[in-house]
Amino acid sequence: MNTSILSLSCPMPQLDFEVITLGHGSGGILTNKLLESGVFDLLKNPILDEHHDGAIFELAGKLAFSTDSYVISPVFFPGGNIGELAVNGTVNDIAMCGAIPKYLSLSFILEEGLTMKEFWEILLSIKMAAENAGVHIVTGDTKVVERGKGDKIFINTSGIGQVHPKANISIHNIKIGDKIIVSGNVATHGIAIMSVREGLDFETTIESDTTNLNHTVKALIDEFGNDIHLFRDPTRGGVATVLNEIARDVKLGINIHQKDIPVVEEVYSACELLGLDPLYVANEGVFMALVSGEMADDFLKKLQTFDNGKNAAIIGSVVAEHPRQVVLQSRIGGKRVINMLVGEQLPRIC
């Protein structure tokens, strides 16, 4: 179901205000109208319906917990908006721990002047993303800041989930010979944001790859268990930064091959135009996995059966040589060291 179809089945409620004002953050009548007619009704579930200051629920066994804040600009971009990004991002962070996401918190910082039409569209995307991921939003908070003190809307989501009984995800499991796999085309999200920022316009529409990855990750853990040594999502800093962090922490080297890194042709061309390296551009619907070399091909074949893994590829391996360094073999056979990102390449992409 896309957002436009969902908006027909969940039309915006009739309200006596069209924009967010400071009064909506007062905790009084306006706050209650905003929450009761909007957030609570749209996202309702038995736990949220209790309207506690927190959420009460039961989970057994080992748990994973994560939190993230989303300040992306612009808040609407090709392929999505800040609402689904906030849900997918935290869902994926939990999944990268080898856990099954269950519950999310959802907190808004709204800027005075945000229209209810925009807020409703964001809420619909949140609802759709949560349903697709199979998670419940069970608690949250709403604050309003003066005009000019925010950028329409900032969102914080925290998530909790149960660690998969077959998962053993730890950087300490990485060993020489492990293969490095990316689940899809890299750099798409960051370039989608650039395509609508600062008046830049490309000939083709590049859409963000934001999506939930938890169902795919669970299926992979179901089948391959301990042979999966690490999951990471290459958001800010991209693939290069994640690989550098891993090489530094395990004190081993990493080799990657440029010809094997999946990048959409339009994205690659846009990166060249903008002077960007796709390896450093942010992703929101891609994960990286380090897996045992012996089962890497089987892992890849399984991953490619999923829609969000059909472009997956093995891009390199862990080696004993050049410890703490990531070395790229170029398409023409040369080699160069890939360093960690210095500074900010693309501001406010998540």
Side-chain angles (χ1 to χ4, degrees), residues 116-128:
M116 277 304 301
K117 183 176 183 298
E118 291 174 309
F119 188 45
W120 186 252
E121 186 173 344
I122 291 167
L123 285 174
L124 290 176
S125 294
I126 288 170
K127 176 182 173 67
M128 181 178 66

Side-chain angles (χ1 to χ4, degrees), residues 57 59 63-66 94 100-104 158-162:
F57 50 79
L59 285 175
L63 305 178
F65 178 79
S66 183
I94 295 294
I100 301 165
K102 295 290 187 180
Y103 302 112
L104 297 185
S158 295
I160 191 166
Q162 293 174 306

Side-chain angles (χ1 to χ4, degrees), residues 13-263:
Q14 294 295 318
L15 301 169
D16 54 5
F17 54 89
E18 294 183 355
V19 299
I20 299 295
T21 67
L22 287 176
H24 289 106
S26 69
I29 292 175
L30 287 177
T31 302
N32 275 270
K33 284 186 176 180
L34 178 66
L35 296 180
E36 294 292 344
S37 300
V39 179
F40 288 146
D41 188 53
L42 186 66
L43 303 179
K44 66 184 304 176
N45 61 70
I47 298 176
L48 187 63
D49 290 349
E50 292 288 338
H51 294 185
H52 283 309
D53 284 340
I56 301 171
F57 50 79
E58 291 186 8
L59 285 175
K62 188 181 291 186
L63 305 178
F65 178 79
S66 183
T67 188
D68 208 344
S69 297
Y70 299 85
V71 297
I72 191 168
S73 177
V75 297
F76 296 95
F77 48 84
N81 63 56
I82 191 172
E84 62 192 280
L85 191 69
V87 173
N88 291 336
T90 295
V91 162
N92 293 343
D93 286 343
I94 295 294
M96 294 301 98
C97 297
I100 301 165
K102 295 290 187 180
Y103 302 112
L104 297 185
S105 70
L106 173 67
S107 294
F108 299 112
I109 297 178
L110 308 178
E111 184 186 24
E112 180 185 21
L114 175 70
T115 68
M116 277 304 301
K117 183 176 183 298
E118 291 174 309
F119 188 45
W120 186 252
E121 186 173 344
I122 291 167
L123 285 174
L124 290 176
S125 294
I126 288 170
K127 176 182 173 67
M128 181 178 66
E131 289 178 350
N132 289 341
V135 297
H136 291 301
I137 294 166
V138 295
T139 189
D141 184 54
T142 301
K143 295 292 190 296
V144 179
V145 298
E146 296 93 336
R147 191 185 300 268
K149 297 294 181 63
D151 190 357
K152 290 191 175 183
I153 179 172
F154 298 151
I155 301 177
N156 173 275
T157 47
S158 295
I160 191 166
Q162 293 174 306
V163 175
H164 193 296
K166 289 186 176 181
N168 184 20
I169 307 300
S170 172
I171 200 163
H172 302 295
N173 295 332
I174 295 172
K175 63 181 187 296
I176 294 168
D178 281 0
K179 296 299 183 182
I180 301 161
I181 296 173
V182 293
S183 67
N185 297 316
V186 304
T188 303
H189 174 75
I191 296 303
I193 303 305
M194 288 297 292
S195 71
V196 292
R197 184 185 286 167
E198 305 300 339
L200 293 174
D201 186 23
F202 304 122
E203 290 184 1
T204 59
T205 299
I206 300 172
E207 293 191 346
S208 169
D209 56 2
T210 179
T211 189
N212 68 78
L213 302 168
N214 55 311
H215 302 306
T216 301
V217 168
K218 179 184 180 300
L220 292 168
I221 299 175
D222 283 342
E223 184 163 341
F224 299 103
N226 284 332
D227 285 321
I228 305 170
H229 297 158
L230 194 70
F231 284 121
R232 284 285 171 85
D233 54 346
T235 51
R236 287 178 299 172
V239 169
T241 296
V242 168
L243 291 178
N244 270 278
E245 290 172 346
I246 294 169
R248 176 198 64 197
D249 291 345
V250 300
K251 302 179 178 61
L252 293 171
I254 289 177
N255 286 339
I256 57 175
H257 303 276
Q258 187 177 32
K259 65 179 178 59
D260 296 327
I261 300 170
V263 185

